[in-house]
């Protein structure tokens, strides 16, 4: 009986709020009839719950569409654009929300990656968005002193030098300003990019152009902006202890497709062929497969990666021997692909 | 089976959070459809005012939309988070007007100050109307832990009623 008393006493809180399973109520009531101590406690707990309840008078009213609309006005939704720019619009919305949460006096000085703090990482994005903005006819947001602002698609093949000087200049310039000003500069440039006709017109964006050393259709350059914006949002989230979700499934598969194309280009036609399988993002995990490298030889190895891990590997956020993967067949051929992917590190 | 319930539930919260972060308005409408009633009820039970409860509800969903990273689907369910947020905002907004409502409000303020594990079970079992088995699954803790936490949480609240305003000494009841 003592054991029964212990067990039933532990149920009193559950009983008081009515959170029991079928049969619990009868067992408790039977026990309360016999046990004065439990009956007194049960009475106290139930009276407390009743007081929390607010009694039965008047209802709470109805949840109306009006309240939802008012809530929606507290933040703009992702900009509506064509499918090729939608991943970028979403990434911009995601970073904007994260930076808004920091406010004016937030942890902008927290180290993030390379030697950048949160402020510097946003300034870096201001510079990184510039080449596409310039290609689409937009003016630079940060004054470009002379040759340092030379277009990154100059035909010299030395785009890295110009780019590195420019990003350093932009970060130095922005560090002399308030973080919220840099945030506004990045946001306005990103929104302007998303308002261009190229972000809304697939045909207009189909033409190839060389930016930052990569000759690709403008649609892909929008994807690269999405990729880089998301990776840096994830960097900032990790630094600040916030969970940054992976890109939406439809966007993630576009990013993966772009990553595979770039990896395949870098690998060339002579490399030992490897079957790359990227697991699907959805619950069924059904993904896509590509054969990378030479099509004149049989496939030597199979490499299986998660889509987010694949993106992080390409972004230089995973060492080739650390990324979670499955390998079948010739481990050397598969490892060569991982090493090349990590070495691209285009961010 | 608890495992299945967890697997079928958590993707929904994570999926909603992902869409909220990336600026998809339909995700807010879904969250509102699923939990708007709960949020309004919690706010009303504290404030006893339809207008205040509606203001709190609007504030709760505005925060979910404009500050989506403050909800972390890996640290708890959206249901619990919204219920606790509504409760905290309502307690801050409500001002007692004497009488029974005054005592109720004091109790809600005590509830808002309980340790998180105790607050979570009260929110899920009382406000959200979950059985202790559902609460155990949702929080990922054993059922007897839920029973014990619920009893001690309510016991602490009941004790603050016994010796009203003053600095209620915790622990002895």
């Amino acid at each position: 009986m003592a054991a029964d008393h212990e067990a039933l006493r532990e149920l009193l809180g559950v009983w008081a709020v009515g959170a029991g399973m079928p049969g619990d109520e009868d067992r408790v009531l039977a026990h309360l009839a016999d046990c004065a101590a439990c009956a007194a406690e049960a009475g106290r707990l139930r009276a407390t719950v009743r007081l929390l309840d607010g009694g039965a008078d008047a209802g709470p009213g109805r949840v109306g569409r009006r309240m939802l609309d008012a809530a929606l006005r507290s933040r703009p939704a992702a900009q509506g654009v064509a499918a090729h720019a939608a991943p970028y619009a979403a990434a911009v919305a995601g970073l904007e929300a994260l930076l808004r949460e920091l406010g004016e006096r937030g942890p902008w000085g927290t180290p993030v990656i390379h030697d950048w703090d949160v402020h510097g990482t946003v300034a870096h994005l201001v510079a990184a968005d510039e080449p596409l903005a310039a290609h689409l006819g937009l003016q630079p947001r940060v004054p470009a002193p002379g040759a340092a602002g030379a277009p990154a698609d100059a035909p010299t093949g030395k785009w890295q030098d110009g780019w590195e000087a420019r990003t350093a200049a932009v970060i130095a310039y922005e560090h002399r300003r308030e973080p919220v000003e840099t945030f506004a500069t990045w946001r306005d440039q990103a929104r302007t990019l998303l308002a261009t006709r190229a972000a809304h017109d697939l045909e207009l964006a189909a033409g190839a152009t060389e930016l930052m050393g990569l000759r690709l259709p403008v649609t892909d350059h929008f994807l690269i902006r999405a990729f880089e914006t998301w990776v840096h949002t994830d960097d900032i989230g990790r630094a600040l202890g916030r969970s940054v979700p992976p890109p939406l499934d439809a966007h993630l598969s576009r990013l993966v497709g772009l990553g595979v194309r770039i990896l395949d280009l870098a690998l060339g036609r002579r490399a030992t062929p490897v079957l790359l399988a990227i697991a699907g993002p959805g619950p069924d995990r059904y993904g896509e497969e590509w054969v990378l490298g030479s099509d004149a030889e049989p496939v030597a190895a199979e490499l299986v990666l998660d889509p987010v891990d694949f993106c992080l590997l390409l972004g230089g956020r995973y060492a080739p021997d650390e990324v979670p993967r499955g390998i079948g067949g010739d481990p050397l051929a598969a490892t060569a692909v991982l090493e090349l992917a990590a070495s691209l590190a285009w961010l | 089976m608890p495992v299945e319930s967890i697997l079928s539930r958590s993707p929904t919260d994570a999926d909603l959070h992902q869409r909220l972060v990336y600026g998809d308005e339909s995700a807010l409408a879904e969250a509102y459809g699923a939990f708007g009633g709960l949020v309004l009820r919690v706010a009303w039970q504290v404030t006893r005012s339809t207008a205040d409860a509606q203001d709190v509800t609007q504030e709760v969903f505005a925060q979910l939309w404009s500050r989506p990273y403050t909800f972390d689907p890996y640290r708890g369910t959206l249901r619990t988070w919204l219920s606790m947020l509504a409760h905290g905002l309502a307690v801050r907004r409500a001002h007692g007007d004497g009488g029974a409502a005054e005592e109720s409000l004091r109790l809600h303020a005590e509830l808002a100050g309980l340790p998180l594990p105790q607050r979570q079970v009260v929110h899920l079992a009382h406000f959200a109307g979950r059985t202790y088995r559902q609460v155990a699954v949702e929080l990922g803790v054993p059922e007897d832990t839920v029973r014990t936490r619920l009893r001690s949480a309510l016991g602490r609240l009941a004790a603050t009623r016994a010796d009203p305003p003053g600095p209620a000494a915790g622990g002895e009841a």
Side-chain angles (χ1 to χ4, degrees):
Chain A
M1 269 307 143
D4 213 28
H5 166 76
E6 294 289 322
L8 286 164
R9 194 177 57 179
E10 287 308 308
L11 263 176
L12 292 180
V14 166
W15 173 80
V17 297
M21 305 305 292
D24 285 345
E25 169 100 13
D26 291 346
R27 288 169 57 218
V28 170
L29 287 178
H31 177 67
L32 295 187
D34 289 344
C35 178
C38 282
E41 180 175 344
R44 271 200 314 278
L45 299 188
R46 177 118 321 159
T48 304
V49 169
R50 235 179 254 131
L51 201 52
L52 284 176
D53 253 344
D57 54 323
R62 285 186 51 244
V63 291
R65 174 77 208 182
R66 203 170 38 81
M67 279 184 269
L68 179 59
D69 289 339
L72 282 170
R73 281 195 290 277
S74 62
R75 171 195 172 200
Q79 272 166 271
V81 289
H84 65 270
Y88 182 49
V92 167
L95 178 56
E96 190 178 334
L98 181 59
L99 298 178
R100 277 164 62 118
E101 285 185 23
L102 299 191
E104 267 182 54
R105 300 268 157 260
W108 292 93
T110 308
V112 174
I113 190 137
H114 308 310
D115 57 347
W116 305 331
D117 55 10
V118 177
H119 187 181
T121 306
V122 179
H124 161 75
L125 278 173
V126 171
D129 291 340
E130 253 183 11
L132 179 59
H135 175 74
L136 297 177
L138 307 177
Q139 292 301 312
R141 301 272 160 168
V142 174
D153 50 350
T156 60
K158 276 285 185 186
W159 66 273
Q160 287 98 335
D161 295 344
W163 155 242
E164 276 168 21
R166 178 60 180 158
T167 192
V170 170
I171 291 174
Y173 176 88
E174 291 295 340
H175 262 138
R176 291 192 294 274
R177 305 170 77 216
E178 290 296 320
V180 287
E181 293 178 301
T182 303
F183 169 29
T185 299
W186 164 76
R187 185 194 56 209
D188 293 347
Q189 179 169 260
R191 284 183 181 172
T192 312
L193 265 170
L194 287 165
T196 58
R197 286 181 58 211
H200 293 80
D201 186 337
L202 178 61
E203 247 176 77
L204 200 67
T209 186
E210 184 169 332
L211 299 173
M212 320 252 278
L214 287 170
R215 184 166 181 82
L216 294 168
V218 169
T219 49
D220 279 349
H221 287 298
F222 269 108
L223 276 181
I224 292 175
R225 297 326 311 134
F227 190 105
E228 182 161 5
T229 306
W230 176 75
V231 169
H232 286 313
T233 306
D234 191 59
D235 290 339
I236 296 172
R238 282 170 204 272
L240 299 178
R242 312 274 169 110
S243 299
V244 173
L248 298 166
D249 291 352
H251 300 172
L252 185 55
S253 41
R254 277 177 180 267
L255 296 181
V256 165
L258 168 77
V260 169
R261 287 201 294 283
I262 289 176
L263 183 57
D264 195 36
L265 275 176
L267 209 56
R269 292 293 90 190
R270 297 219 191 99
T272 310
V274 171
L275 180 75
L276 174 64
I278 304 288
D284 53 358
R285 310 293 290 167
Y286 177 78
E288 278 191 273
E289 294 181 346
W290 296 264
V291 175
L292 305 178
S294 165
D295 48 12
E297 302 167 50
V299 167
E302 181 175 350
L303 177 58
V304 185
L305 293 170
D306 169 88
V308 173
D309 290 341
F310 176 66
C311 290
L312 292 173
L313 176 74
L314 279 175
R317 269 43 174 183
Y318 261 126
D321 54 347
E322 284 172 352
V323 66
R325 69 304 204 39
I327 289 181
D330 177 5
L332 285 180
T335 307
V337 171
L338 288 173
E339 282 173 357
L340 180 70
S343 76
L344 292 177
W346 23 296
L347 301 182
Chain B
M1 287 265 94
V3 175
E4 275 175 30
S5 313
I6 289 167
L7 289 180
S8 64
R9 194 189 327 275
S10 44
T12 313
D13 275 1
D15 165 72
L16 273 179
H17 181 244
Q18 181 190 40
R19 289 162 54 207
L20 289 165
V21 161
Y22 294 120
D24 175 356
E25 288 179 329
S26 72
L28 188 71
E30 271 175 47
Y32 188 71
F35 303 118
L38 168 66
V39 166
L40 188 66
R41 203 162 58 242
V42 170
W44 186 82
Q45 288 188 357
V46 178
T47 62
R48 310 291 183 95
S49 144
T50 302
D52 282 348
Q54 288 178 337
D55 284 352
V56 167
T57 302
Q58 184 178 311
E59 202 177 335
V60 164
F61 284 96
Q63 169 158 348
L64 179 65
W65 175 241
S66 65
R67 302 169 64 86
Y69 294 93
T70 50
F71 166 62
D72 185 341
Y74 297 101
R75 290 191 191 159
T77 62
L78 186 56
R79 185 201 322 275
T80 320
W81 188 82
L82 288 171
S83 182
M84 292 195 300
L85 178 62
H87 189 260
L89 291 174
V91 164
R92 244 178 285 158
R93 166 183 290 259
H95 17 253
D97 49 4
E102 183 80 44
E103 199 190 350
S104 164
L105 180 54
R106 199 163 55 232
L107 204 56
H108 278 292
E110 293 289 344
L111 167 57
L114 287 184
L116 183 64
Q118 292 192 356
R119 228 177 332 137
Q120 286 174 325
V121 296
V122 173
H123 274 269
L124 288 172
H126 176 56
F127 296 120
R130 317 293 281 170
T131 65
Y132 66 79
R133 190 157 293 164
Q134 290 173 312
V135 176
V137 170
E138 188 152 341
L139 296 177
V141 299
E143 290 178 7
D144 52 357
T145 303
V146 173
R147 292 193 288 260
T148 302
R149 281 184 192 168
L150 201 48
R151 175 173 171 243
S152 43
L154 293 176
R156 283 177 73 160
L157 295 180
T160 66
R161 286 189 67 204
D163 45 6
E172 27 188 302

